[in-house]
């Protein structure tokens, strides 16, 4: 009984790997799409900031000319220079975001980072999601994470049942038949009387009442079931 449960647990764990692979595949797709969106936003922001930088430079130039004519003060020039510095900081931040997104896309796709660019028109518009009360339940039902967690609960339950069955009494039955030859084996030369046909049967019954190690394994398996159920509930709630 125990071996049968362990075999079923192994088969169930193999089935769970398919959900794990599906979850990892979706995670890679999501990570790639997110990095692409971040890169596109950063590039568009850099384009806008480039125009702002040009406008700030023109403002500084005009303020410098007005200062020379006595129309503006030194404080106005400092403000214009401060505005340029702020724009430069934002440009540096946007450039850093773009570089990080390019490196992420490079690791995910295998393409050189410097060759990666975006096409804004290729990004679809977000879907309009209505107020569907069944949406959370449907998402949890279709989520590979939840399905993987549920399969792990079944696997833990099968293993716990197998460890419990290992505490049941076990019976081994063995039998053996022999055909002895007086001419080939020369038994007649050594034994006055012998039977050419012999049959033996044996029965072994074990009662693991004092197998404390197996009792501990059974208790640990029950604890694993409780943990797997809690993890499955947490995965369901998170989705």
């Amino acid at each position: 009984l125990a071996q049968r449960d362990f075999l079923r647990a192994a088969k169930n764990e193999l089935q769970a790997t398919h959900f794990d692979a599906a979850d990892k595949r979706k995670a890679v797709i999501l990570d790639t799409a997110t990095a692409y969106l971040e890169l596109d936003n950063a590039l568009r922001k850099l384009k806008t900031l480039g125009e702002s930088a040009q406008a700030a430079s023109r403002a500084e130039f005009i303020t410098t000319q007005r200062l020379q004519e006595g129309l503006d003060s030194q404080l106005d020039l400092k403000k214009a220079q401060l505005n340029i510095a702020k724009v430069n900081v934002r440009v540096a931040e946007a450039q850093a975001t773009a570089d990080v997104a390019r490196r992420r896309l490079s690791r995910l796709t295998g393409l050189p980072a410097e060759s990666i660019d975006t096409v804004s028109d290729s990004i679809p518009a977000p879907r309009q999601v209505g107020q569907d009360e069944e949406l959370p339940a449907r998402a949890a039902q279709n989520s590979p994470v939840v399905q993987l967690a549920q399969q792990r609960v079944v696997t833990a339950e099968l293993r716990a049942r197998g460890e419990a069955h290992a505490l049941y009494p076990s019976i081994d039955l063995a039998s053996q038949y022999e055909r002895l030859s007086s001419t080939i084996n020369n038994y007649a030369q050594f034994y006055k009387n012998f039977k050419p046909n012999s049959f033996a049967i044996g029965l072994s019954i074990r009662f693991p009442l004092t197998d404390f190690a197996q009792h501990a394994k059974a208790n640990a398996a029950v604890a694993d079931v409780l943990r797997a159920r809690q993890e499955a509930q947490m995965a369901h709630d998170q989705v």
Side-chain angles (χ1 to χ4, degrees):
L1 296 177
Q3 292 300 325
R4 185 179 62 181
D5 291 329
F6 291 147
L7 181 60
R8 292 178 60 188
K11 291 181 178 179
N12 192 80
E13 189 172 8
L14 178 62
Q15 179 66 28
T17 58
H18 298 295
F19 296 113
D20 191 25
D23 176 57
K24 286 182 170 57
R25 182 178 184 273
K26 290 185 177 183
V28 171
I29 294 175
L30 178 60
D31 195 13
T32 305
T34 303
Y36 189 87
L37 288 173
E38 290 178 356
L39 178 59
D40 185 73
N41 290 334
L43 293 178
R44 287 191 295 173
K45 189 175 182 180
L46 281 172
K47 183 178 179 181
T48 304
L49 289 175
E51 298 174 356
S52 300
Q54 294 179 359
S57 298
R58 288 196 299 269
E60 182 193 20
F61 176 76
I62 294 174
T63 303
T64 302
Q65 297 297 321
R66 291 174 60 86
L67 178 62
Q68 293 176 357
E69 297 295 331
L71 299 176
D72 284 341
S73 63
Q74 191 69 28
L75 180 61
D76 294 327
L77 180 60
K78 293 295 183 182
K79 289 181 179 180
Q81 293 174 347
L82 179 61
N83 189 32
I84 292 178
K86 290 180 179 180
V87 173
N88 291 335
V89 170
R90 296 176 64 187
V91 169
E93 292 175 349
Q95 186 62 53
T97 301
D99 293 340
V100 171
R102 277 198 175 97
R103 286 197 295 270
R104 286 177 57 194
L105 285 173
S106 178
R107 291 194 300 269
L108 290 166
T109 62
L111 299 173
E114 60 275 5
S115 66
I116 297 177
D117 204 348
T118 63
V119 180
S120 299
D121 296 338
S122 67
I123 301 175
R127 287 186 179 182
Q128 297 296 328
V129 181
Q131 298 295 328
D132 188 357
E133 296 181 356
E134 298 180 356
L135 186 61
R138 189 161 59 250
Q141 182 179 1
N142 297 328
S143 173
V145 177
V146 177
Q147 293 173 344
L148 174 61
Q150 292 174 347
Q151 287 292 325
R152 286 176 174 171
V153 171
V154 176
T155 301
E157 290 175 347
L158 289 172
R159 287 177 177 170
R161 191 165 63 181
E163 297 293 350
H165 283 162
L167 294 171
Y168 285 14
S170 61
I171 301 175
D172 291 334
L173 178 65
S175 62
Q176 178 177 315
Y177 170 75
E178 292 181 335
R179 172 65 179 176
L180 306 178
S181 173
S182 61
T183 57
I184 298 177
N185 303 110
N186 298 323
Y187 274 91
Q189 298 180 9
F190 300 98
Y191 302 98
K192 293 181 178 181
N193 297 315
F194 75 93
K195 295 180 180 180
N197 297 301
S198 65
F199 181 78
I201 186 171
L203 183 65
S204 173
I205 304 177
R206 292 185 298 272
F207 297 91
L209 300 178
T210 59
D211 192 350
F212 300 110
Q214 185 58 39
H215 281 281
K217 291 178 64 177
N219 293 333
V222 173
D224 289 338
V225 172
L226 297 177
R227 182 181 64 180
R229 288 174 179 172
Q230 290 297 324
E231 290 176 350
Q233 185 63 42
M234 291 173 59
H236 180 276
D237 295 342
Q238 185 178 5
V239 171

